[in-house]
């Protein structure tokens, strides 16, 4: 909206006696006061950086001069403040030559002109105004967080206007129009508290512009600026409000000298202390394309407000960019989260055997001794794991431990398990962060992480590796091919005095038994609890004819000749028993979950 003020610089009229002939250009006429029409307008719609109209204490400067062709005489810098001129002026004040005043300039073709105008908004030029040229220096205030600093930094100017010619045959001599527009550029960043954030997080957040033009030399008559140097600018924070879809947001604003370089990849701003997280916003080709009407020669321009609406999510940023207020266009772009040791890529990928629908339960804690309750459930969508509910890095400094539980079934590689209780027959998988090397965004800096170590906040993935928390026990029976062979058909294998129920420690993956030992009949193989093999634990074989054999399980030896006295997590134990009518032998193999070879001997006792 255009704001106009008609300011009459004098209210009285005087009568001059001139020639009575109509042919003479000087005739009897009124000494008319000089009238200004001042507006906050221009060729593009504009608003004040603070408010939408001139304020009571605004000081307006207008350089008025008498012109004839290219010649300018009788010039004066007019000051208007508090809606009143500081002195009275008339059209005729600019119509008599300086010196002895004998030369009458009230002739055809002569006129009055607003050569330029300025409004300092309470600020002060850093290089004094040269009145005859309209050139002054202005410097960007690098801290605009305090109320009033941004306005005082918002220089307004008015360009050279067409002259209003004298018409001595008429009483109306016209009005000088002085339109003011913004000489500065403006940046507005609207921060929206997205996923993982609360409205209160916006109170501590601050936004700083980067690489803004520092000093400018302004020429109002030609509306041109030359700039030098760059500076960071701390932005003014408006009151917290909400978006149209009722999301908490806060607008940050700052006014800067034009000619700031705006190129793809350049760091535009940083957002700091958003619940402890820091973000950086870089210009993209998409943003620059959307702002093209406000950019010339890759530089910011006077009178343009470059607006970004940024939705912050913990661990992610989405950006909608809008060039608003002074020139309106829209664009979309991407901001980038900033962590102190951000890991964007890691050398661990998802297992190739994963299928859509595979899932696991995940615990996340900053305290390794207290994992609390279940944090989230992750499900594989065919390319990546999706957390329900979504989880976020709460800040940019605290590191976290991650542990997971799942079970392997006939149809699932990973199926989420939510309880710490475990029983014989369940192929429990315990997950922890893998040993890996993290590479930062620069592609060069690396960090080594031990298995199970705390992970720092990052934009890259947290790698998990799953291990069998249980052990696999297999008993194979064999006999000879000669007359000493025994009939193994319908033979029954029993393991005695073993634990079959327990609880897993989510921090370490260690399973502790919590039941009374009992017997287990094996049919080929069984998933068993890791445990000590006690002196009462036997492997019993009962043939169909009722013949029974047994041996102490903790006397079985592995391939290296060492007695297997404990079943360890993740190991597969294969016991091969050879039975003959007159001689019974066996060998015991201890194998990893991925089978290994080995043999051993022991004596089979009659039961």
């Amino acid at each position: 909206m255009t704001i106009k003020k008609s300011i009459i610089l004098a209210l009285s009229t005087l009568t001059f006696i001139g020639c009575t002939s109509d042919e003479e250009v000087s005739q009897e006429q009124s000494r008319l006061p000089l009238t200004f029409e001042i507006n906050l307008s221009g060729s593009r719609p504009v608003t004040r950086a603070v408010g939408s109209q001139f304020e009571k204490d605004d000081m307006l400067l207008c350089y008025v001069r008498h012109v004839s062709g290219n010649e300018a005489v009788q010039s004066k810098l007019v000051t208007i403040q508090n809606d009143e001129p500081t002195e009275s002026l008339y059209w005729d004040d600019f119509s008599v030559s300086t010196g002895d005043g004998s030369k009458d300039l009230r002739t055809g073709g002569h006129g009055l002109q607003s050569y330029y105008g300025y409004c300092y908004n309470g600020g002060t030029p850093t290089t004094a105004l040269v009145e005859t040229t309209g050139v002054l220096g202005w410097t960007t205030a690098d801290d605009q967080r305090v109320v009033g600093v941004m306005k005082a930094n918002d220089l307004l100017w008015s360009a050279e206007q067409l002259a209003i010619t004298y018409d001595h045959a008429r009483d109306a001599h016209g009005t000088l129009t002085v339109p003011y527009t913004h000489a500065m550029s403006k940046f507005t960043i609207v921060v929206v508290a997205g996923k993982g954030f609360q409205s209160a997080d916006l109170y501590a957040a601050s936004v700083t512009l980067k690489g803004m033009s520092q000093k400018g030399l302004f020429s109002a008559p030609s509306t041109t600026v030359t700039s030098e140097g760059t500076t960071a600018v701390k932005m003014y924070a408006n009151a917290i409000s909400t978006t149209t879809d009722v999301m908490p947001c806060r607008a940050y604003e700052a006014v800067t000298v034009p000619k700031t370089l705006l190129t793809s990849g350049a760091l535009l701003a940083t957002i700091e202390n958003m619940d402890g997280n820091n973000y950086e916003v870089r210009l993209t080709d998409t943003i620059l394309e959307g702002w093209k009407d406000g950019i010339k020669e890759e530089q910011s321009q006077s009178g343009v407000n470059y607006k970004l609406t940024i939705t912050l999510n913990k661990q992610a940023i989405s950006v909608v960019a809008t060039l608003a207020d002074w020139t309106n266009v829209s664009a979309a772009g991407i901001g980038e989260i900033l962590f102190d040791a951000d890991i964007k890529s890691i050398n661990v990928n998802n297992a190739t055997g994963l299928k859509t629908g595979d899932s696991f339960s995940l615990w996340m804690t900053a305290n390794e001794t207290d994992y609390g309750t279940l944090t989230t459930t992750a499900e594989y969508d065919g390319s990546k794991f999706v957390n329900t509910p979504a989880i976020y890095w709460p800040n940019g400094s605290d590191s976290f431990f991650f542990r997971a539980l799942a079970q392997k079934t006939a149809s699932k590689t990973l199926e989420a398990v939510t309880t710490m209780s475990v029983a014989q027959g369940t192929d429990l998988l315990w997950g922890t962060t893998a040993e890996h090397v993290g590479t930062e965004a620069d592609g060069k800096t690396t960090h080594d992480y031990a298995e199970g170590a705390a992970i720092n906040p990052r934009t890259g993935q947290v790698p998990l590796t799953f291990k069998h928390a249980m052990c696999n026990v297999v008993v194979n029976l064999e006999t000879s091919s000669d007359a000493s062979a025994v009939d193994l058909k319908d033979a029954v294998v029993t393991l005695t005095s073993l634990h079959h129920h327990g609880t897993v420690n989510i921090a370490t993956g260690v399973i502790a038994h919590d039941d009374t030992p009992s017997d287990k009949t094996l049919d080929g193989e069984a998933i068993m609890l890791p445990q000590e093999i006690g002196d009462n634990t036997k492997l019993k074989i009962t043939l169909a004819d009722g013949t029974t054999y047994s041996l102490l399980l903790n006397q079985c030896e592995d391939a290296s000749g060492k007695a297997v006295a404990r079943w360890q997590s993740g190991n597969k134990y294969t016991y091969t028993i050879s039975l003959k009518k007159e001689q019974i032998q066996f060998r015991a193999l201890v194998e990893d979950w991925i089978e290994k070879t080995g043999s051993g001997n022991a004596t089979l006792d009659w039961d």
Side-chain angles (χ1 to χ4, degrees):
M1 178 177 70
T2 298
I3 307 299
K4 298 182 178 180
K5 291 185 179 181
S6 295
I7 301 178
I8 300 176
L9 300 184
L11 301 177
S12 61
T13 60
L14 298 176
T15 302
F16 281 80
I17 305 300
C19 298
T20 59
S21 171
D22 290 339
E23 284 75 20
E24 297 290 339
V25 294
S26 181
Q27 59 179 343
E28 182 177 330
Q29 57 184 325
S30 297
R31 177 169 162 80
L32 296 178
L34 185 57
T35 302
F36 289 84
E37 181 183 285
I38 298 172
N39 59 74
L40 189 58
S41 183
S43 61
R44 62 178 61 167
V46 299
T47 63
R48 288 292 298 280
V50 179
S52 59
Q53 60 185 0
F54 290 112
E55 298 179 10
K56 182 177 180 181
D57 294 331
D58 287 341
M59 182 175 66
L60 307 177
L61 300 178
C62 178
Y63 192 76
V64 180
R65 66 181 187 176
H66 183 117
V67 294
S68 176
N70 294 324
E71 181 184 7
V73 295
Q74 291 296 86
S75 303
K76 185 175 183 62
L77 185 65
V78 179
T79 302
I80 303 168
Q81 192 171 19
N82 294 327
D83 296 339
E84 296 291 338
T86 56
E87 58 182 307
S88 298
L89 292 173
Y90 298 86
W91 278 76
D92 286 344
D93 290 339
F94 297 87
S95 303
V96 178
S97 66
T98 55
D100 59 9
S102 59
K103 184 178 180 182
D104 186 359
L105 301 179
R106 306 182 197 86
T107 58
H110 288 244
L112 291 187
Q113 175 195 44
S114 171
Y115 184 43
Y116 65 84
Y118 280 112
C119 176
Y120 296 158
N121 274 326
T124 304
T126 50
T127 301
L129 171 67
V130 180
E131 290 188 9
T132 56
T133 63
V135 175
L136 59 76
W138 199 267
T139 299
T140 294
D142 58 10
D143 190 346
Q144 300 181 28
R145 294 175 296 177
V146 178
V147 174
V149 174
M150 181 172 59
K151 179 192 172 185
N153 193 52
D154 184 22
L155 177 68
L156 301 178
W157 62 7
S158 178
E160 180 178 3
Q161 304 298 306
L162 295 175
I164 305 300
T165 60
Y166 286 92
D167 186 354
H168 297 287
R170 302 169 57 188
D171 291 334
H173 296 279
T175 300
L176 292 186
T177 300
V178 190
Y180 287 85
T181 59
H182 291 274
M184 304 286 277
S185 300
K186 183 181 178 185
F187 289 85
T188 301
I189 295 180
V190 179
V191 178
V192 180
K195 295 179 180 179
F197 289 109
Q198 306 296 323
S199 176
D201 296 331
L202 292 166
Y203 284 107
S206 62
V207 182
T208 302
L209 294 172
K210 299 293 185 176
M212 296 293 108
S213 293
Q214 185 176 32
K215 298 179 180 179
L217 196 62
F218 292 77
S219 176
S222 60
T223 60
T224 57
V225 183
T226 58
S227 66
E228 63 175 307
T230 59
T231 186
V233 181
K234 297 177 181 178
M235 305 184 77
Y236 174 77
N238 288 277
I240 295 175
S241 59
T242 57
T243 62
T244 55
D245 53 354
V246 200
M247 295 183 68
C249 67
R250 194 175 198 183
Y252 297 79
E253 300 175 295
V255 171
T256 69
V257 169
K259 304 296 184 180
T260 293
L261 191 62
L262 302 176
T263 57
S264 182
L267 178 61
L268 178 68
T270 58
I271 303 171
E272 300 169 347
N273 199 25
M274 185 67 175
D275 192 26
N277 291 295
N278 297 328
Y279 297 84
E280 62 179 19
V281 180
R282 292 185 178 273
L283 293 173
T284 65
D285 291 335
T286 304
I287 293 175
L288 296 175
E289 173 64 21
W291 285 353
K292 64 181 179 181
D293 291 340
I295 298 175
K296 183 178 181 180
E297 296 178 350
E298 298 186 324
Q299 296 174 331
S300 64
Q301 301 298 304
S302 297
V304 179
N305 181 10
Y306 301 87
K307 184 178 179 182
L308 295 174
T309 299
I310 303 176
T311 300
L312 296 182
N313 300 316
K314 287 188 176 177
Q315 197 181 357
I317 288 182
S318 62
V319 176
V320 175
T322 307
L323 188 62
D325 285 343
W326 298 340
T327 301
N328 294 301
V329 296
S330 62
I334 298 175
E336 188 172 278
I337 195 169
L338 177 63
F339 289 127
D340 292 337
D342 189 21
I343 304 300
K344 299 184 70 64
S345 60
I346 53 178
N347 60 348
V348 179
N349 297 315
N350 285 321
T352 57
L354 291 172
K355 302 175 182 178
T356 300
D358 282 354
S359 62
F360 60 85
S361 300
L362 182 67
W363 284 258
M364 171 181 176
T365 181
N367 182 0
E368 191 178 15
T369 62
D370 182 11
Y371 277 82
T373 58
L374 176 67
T375 304
T376 188
T377 300
E379 183 171 333
Y380 196 62
D381 67 0
S383 62
K384 63 182 182 304
F385 280 101
V386 179
N387 297 325
T388 305
I391 57 175
Y392 308 93
W393 296 106
N395 55 55
S397 57
D398 293 342
S399 297
F400 285 83
F401 296 92
F402 294 86
R403 299 293 185 266
L405 286 180
Q407 63 181 351
K408 188 175 183 355
T409 65
S411 60
K412 298 287 186 182
T413 303
L414 294 173
E415 184 176 72
V417 172
T418 59
T419 178
M420 305 295 180
S421 298
V422 62
Q424 175 269 323
T426 300
D427 189 359
L428 183 69
L429 300 173
W430 173 76
T432 186
T433 48
E435 179 183 1
H436 67 283
V437 177
T439 304
E440 293 191 15
D442 59 12
K444 300 177 181 178
T445 307
T446 60
H447 298 269
D448 295 327
Y449 292 87
E451 182 180 275
I455 301 298
N456 62 282
R458 58 178 63 185
T459 56
Q461 295 175 326
V462 174
L464 292 177
T465 180
F466 284 88
K467 300 180 178 181
H468 293 278
M470 304 284 276
C471 50
N472 195 352
V473 177
V474 180
V475 176
N476 294 325
L477 300 180
E478 62 181 29
T479 187
S480 64
S481 60
D482 55 25
S484 64
V486 298
D487 186 4
L488 297 179
K489 183 180 179 180
D490 297 327
V492 176
V493 176
T494 303
L495 295 175
T496 68
S497 192
L498 289 172
H499 296 284
H500 304 284
H501 296 84
T503 303
V504 63
N505 184 321
I506 190 65
T508 63
V510 174
I511 295 176
H513 57 78
D514 56 10
D515 62 350
T516 301
S518 60
D519 297 348
K520 167 64 179 176
T521 299
L522 263 64
D523 183 10
E525 67 180 72
I527 303 297
M528 303 292 291
L529 263 67
Q531 56 190 290
E532 297 287 340
I533 307 301
D535 292 338
N536 296 323
T537 301
K538 294 183 178 182
L539 191 159
K540 296 176 62 176
I541 304 161
T542 303
L543 302 181
D545 62 6
T547 304
T548 301
Y549 306 92
S550 69
L551 60 86
L552 291 175
L553 199 62
N554 62 6
Q555 292 182 4
C556 296
E557 298 176 352
D558 62 16
S560 65
K562 183 178 180 180
V564 179
R566 177 178 177 80
W567 287 339
Q568 304 283 351
S569 296
N571 284 342
K572 183 176 183 180
Y573 298 89
T574 301
Y575 296 85
T576 301
I577 309 299
S578 295
L579 300 176
K580 295 182 180 181
K581 288 182 177 179
E582 295 183 356
Q583 182 181 7
I584 300 175
Q585 298 178 330
F586 78 93
R587 64 179 183 274
L589 308 181
V590 57
E591 300 182 352
D592 195 358
W593 212 250
I594 299 174
E595 296 190 10
K596 301 182 295 185
T597 60
S599 63
N601 298 307
T603 300
L604 187 66
D605 297 329
W606 295 98
D607 192 33

